């Protein structure tokens, strides 16, 4: 109809002589009536309609929303679950309130692989579709993982800070960045070309916003306030959601786990007010009850005469240490060196050979010539597999630095 409209007007007052033309006119009038109900068309006289300028973008947006809803329904059905589409919430990266829930779908939402979409079954009884997520933030999240998605970070992207740090005299050169990356050897999988290309793609996006300027194939003009302007640009577009992985284990695995789970942290903290007794919120409430009974059975909690439950002192640390000791012994059976638990306050230095996903969280495997240990790990900009790392153990967490600390031997 848009192609036939003249100045947004359609004149259907004259009825065609042939039956096919009459049927087509009837269908178009019915469609115009529907568009009128939607506020996208106005009938000024019988058979004379004016189309709204918002018609095409509105219909396109509705089509995209329909595709998203079908994607969400498909993800739920794969989980053996049905939800009322009225409980669906579709977000870009602008979130006023954090979302906590189970990942039921995870897919790239652009051809460059720079943005990810998550479908999350929330503890608030709603199913959420969140787009524009940095893939690096959720690399460890699998279907069934528990995540928290909050408002965008204000600190800016690590890639922007890297570009600013590599610029000399206001000029960034991809060739120099590639040389530096190969020298440091900290790029995952050794894909140095892809690593630098991702920074160039970021610059291409920012050039369209007028923040940087491409001089030639190997030179980009970078302003002095580049990082600040790039962060402001992201903020103006809603930024990228801040995603925190609460557990890579699903509810069933957490109920029977021997480590410190997300369910345990909720039980110890007494968190129940945010659970809606519907959908995944109801499932979490039931899982917390089952986990509580499990802790009572294994002597880590007791039910008092008044019905309330008391938990072992330092429960989370005890469970974490118990799981680390078990996993360490299991890993030692596959290695040529024994496992040793790192003491609190100890400085550990060795080769970072990988990570182990435990119910207590992500742990780094750090090997020396005569032993190895497991230390709490947190995502960093680059995972230096095979490189030297040093960490100071402090109260169940570790302060990390890449490279061997001076004076600390293997």
């Amino acid at each position: 109809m848009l192609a036939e409209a003249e100045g947004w007007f359609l004149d259907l007052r004259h009825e065609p002589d042939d039956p096919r033309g009459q049927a087509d006119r009837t269908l178009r009038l019915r469609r115009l009536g529907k568009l009128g109900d939607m506020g996208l068309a106005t009938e000024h006289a019988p058979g004379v309609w004016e189309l709204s300028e918002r018609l095409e973008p509105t219909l396109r947006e509705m089509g995209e929303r329909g595709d998203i809803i079908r994607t969400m329904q498909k993800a739920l059905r794969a989980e053996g679950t049905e939800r009322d589409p009225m409980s669906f919430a579709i977000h870009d990266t602008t979130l006023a309130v954090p979302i906590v829930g189970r990942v039921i779908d995870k897919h790239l939402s652009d051809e460059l692989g720079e943005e990810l979409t998550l479908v999350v079954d929330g503890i608030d009884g709603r199913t959420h579709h969140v787009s524009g997520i940095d893939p690096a933030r959720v690399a460890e999240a699998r279907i069934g993982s528990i995540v928290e998605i909050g408002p965008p970070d204000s600190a800016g992207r690590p890639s922007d800070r890297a570009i600013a740090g590599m610029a000399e005299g206001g000029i960034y050169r991809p060739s120099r960045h590639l040389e530096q990356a190969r020298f440091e050897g900290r790029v995952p999988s050794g894909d140095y070309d892809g690593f630098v290309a991702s920074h160039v793609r970021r610059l291409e996006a920012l050039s369209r916003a007028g923040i940087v300027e491409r001089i030639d194939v190997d030179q980009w003009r970078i302003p002095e306030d580049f990082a600040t302007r790039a962060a402001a640009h992201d903020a103006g577009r809603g930024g990228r959601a801040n995603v925190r992985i609460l557990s890579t284990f699903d509810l069933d695995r957490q109920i029977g786990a021997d480590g410190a789970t997300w369910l345990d942290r909720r039980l110890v903290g007494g968190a129940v007010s945010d659970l809606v007794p519907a959908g995944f919120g109801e499932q979490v409430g039931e899982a917390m009850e089952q986990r509580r009974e499990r802790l009572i059975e294994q002597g880590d909690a007791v039910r008092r005469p008044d019905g309330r439950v008391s938990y072992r002192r330092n429960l989370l640390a005890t469970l974490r240490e118990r799981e680390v000791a078990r996993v360490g012994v299991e890993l030692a059976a596959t290695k040529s060196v024994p496992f040793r638990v790192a003491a609190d306050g100890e400085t550990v230095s060795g080769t970072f050979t990988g990570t182990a996903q435990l119910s207590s969280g992500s742990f780094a495997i750090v090997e020396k010539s005569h032993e190895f240990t497991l230390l709490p790990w947190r995502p960093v900009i680059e995972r230096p597999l095979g490189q030297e790392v040093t960490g100071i153990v402090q109260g169940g967490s570790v302060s990390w630095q890449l490279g061997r600390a001076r004076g600390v031997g293997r």
Side-chain angles (χ1 to χ4, degrees):
M1 285 188 290
L2 281 171
E4 301 174 18
E6 296 182 5
W8 300 99
F9 279 88
L10 275 176
D11 188 347
L12 299 178
R13 288 176 293 183
H14 304 291
E15 186 172 339
D17 295 331
D18 61 293
R20 184 172 181 178
Q22 292 171 6
D24 181 63
R25 176 178 178 272
T26 300
L27 289 175
R28 286 193 289 173
L29 286 171
R30 288 178 180 174
R31 178 58 176 167
L32 286 166
K34 178 65 175 178
L35 294 174
D37 294 338
M38 297 167 61
L40 297 175
T42 305
E43 188 176 23
H44 293 285
V48 179
W49 289 83
E50 180 184 6
L51 302 179
S52 170
E53 294 182 3
R54 298 184 293 107
L55 176 62
E56 189 172 11
T58 300
L59 293 179
R60 185 186 304 113
E61 182 179 341
M62 291 175 62
E64 292 172 353
R65 182 178 178 86
D67 291 340
I68 289 172
I69 289 174
R70 285 188 287 274
T71 297
M72 296 170 74
Q73 290 174 324
K74 181 179 179 181
L76 286 164
R77 291 191 189 107
E79 296 277 311
T81 305
E82 292 285 346
R83 294 278 190 273
D84 184 349
M86 293 298 293
S87 70
F88 290 179
I90 301 173
H91 313 269
D92 51 18
T93 55
T94 305
L95 298 170
V97 179
I99 297 166
V100 175
R102 173 189 59 178
V103 176
I104 60 173
D105 189 37
K106 171 184 175 182
H107 61 269
L108 290 171
S109 47
D110 75 325
E111 66 279 4
L112 295 177
E114 295 181 321
E115 292 190 347
L116 195 78
T117 291
L118 290 183
V119 179
V120 176
D121 203 8
I123 63 174
D124 59 357
R126 309 184 73 188
T127 304
H128 302 267
H129 181 281
V130 187
S131 59
I133 294 173
D134 183 353
R137 294 292 186 94
V138 288
E140 295 177 351
R142 300 183 287 267
I143 303 300
S145 296
I146 313 299
V147 299
E148 179 184 73
I149 307 177
D153 284 337
S154 59
R157 302 190 187 192
S159 59
D160 294 339
R161 294 193 292 272
I163 290 170
M166 290 298 302
E168 293 182 340
I171 302 297
Y172 167 84
R173 294 179 174 82
S175 61
R176 182 177 179 277
H177 198 172
L178 179 61
E179 181 183 349
Q180 183 69 21
R182 285 173 172 163
F183 175 77
E184 294 178 350
R186 295 177 180 176
V187 175
S189 305
D191 185 9
Y192 301 101
D193 291 323
F195 172 72
V196 174
S198 67
H199 289 74
V200 173
R201 287 196 299 271
R202 170 65 170 165
L203 288 171
E204 289 171 345
L206 293 175
S207 70
R208 292 191 289 271
I211 296 174
V212 299
E213 177 188 355
R214 186 171 195 160
I215 301 173
D216 55 37
V217 69
D218 192 42
Q219 292 188 95
W220 290 81
R221 183 169 286 110
I222 308 297
E224 290 185 6
D225 57 350
F226 166 72
T228 301
R229 291 179 62 183
H233 169 71
D234 285 347
R237 298 175 62 247
R240 287 194 174 192
N242 183 22
V243 183
R244 187 162 64 101
I245 299 176
L246 302 177
S247 176
T248 58
F249 282 35
D250 61 22
L251 293 181
D252 288 340
R253 293 182 68 192
Q254 289 186 55
I255 291 170
D258 59 352
T261 68
W262 173 66
L263 292 176
D264 295 323
R265 295 194 292 273
R266 289 186 62 87
L267 288 170
V268 171
V272 293
S273 60
D274 56 349
L275 293 181
V276 172
F280 187 60
E282 184 175 20
Q283 294 174 23
V284 171
E286 294 171 354
M288 289 175 68
E289 288 290 338
Q290 295 177 55
R291 179 61 175 174
R292 183 183 291 113
E293 293 302 318
R294 172 80 178 210
L295 292 174
I296 292 173
E297 290 174 5
Q298 62 191 32
D300 290 313
V302 296
R303 191 180 301 278
R304 300 190 301 193
D306 60 4
R308 290 188 292 178
V309 176
S310 296
Y311 300 97
R312 175 195 295 272
R313 186 178 181 183
N314 297 325
L315 173 66
L316 300 180
T318 300
L319 293 175
R320 181 173 58 247
E321 292 167 4
R322 186 182 299 166
E323 183 181 32
V324 167
R326 174 185 61 80
V327 173
V329 170
E330 293 175 355
L331 285 174
T334 67
K335 296 180 178 293
S336 58
V337 292
F339 168 72
R340 183 181 67 83
V341 176
D344 191 46
E346 179 181 355
T347 298
V348 178
S349 181
T351 303
F352 173 44
T353 60
T355 58
Q357 294 299 324
L358 281 57
S359 62
S360 300
S362 182
F363 282 74
I365 303 171
V366 180
E367 297 191 25
K368 301 183 181 182
S369 58
H370 58 283
E371 64 185 15
F372 77 95
T373 191
L374 292 170
L375 298 175
W377 182 251
R378 51 187 170 79
V380 294
I381 298 174
E382 299 163 9
R383 291 174 175 260
L385 285 175
Q387 301 296 310
E388 295 292 318
V389 293
T390 297
I392 303 174
V393 183
Q394 296 174 321
S397 63
V398 176
S399 176
W400 288 99
Q401 70 180 69
L402 304 182
R404 185 189 299 181
R406 292 184 179 180
V408 180
R410 295 180 65 184

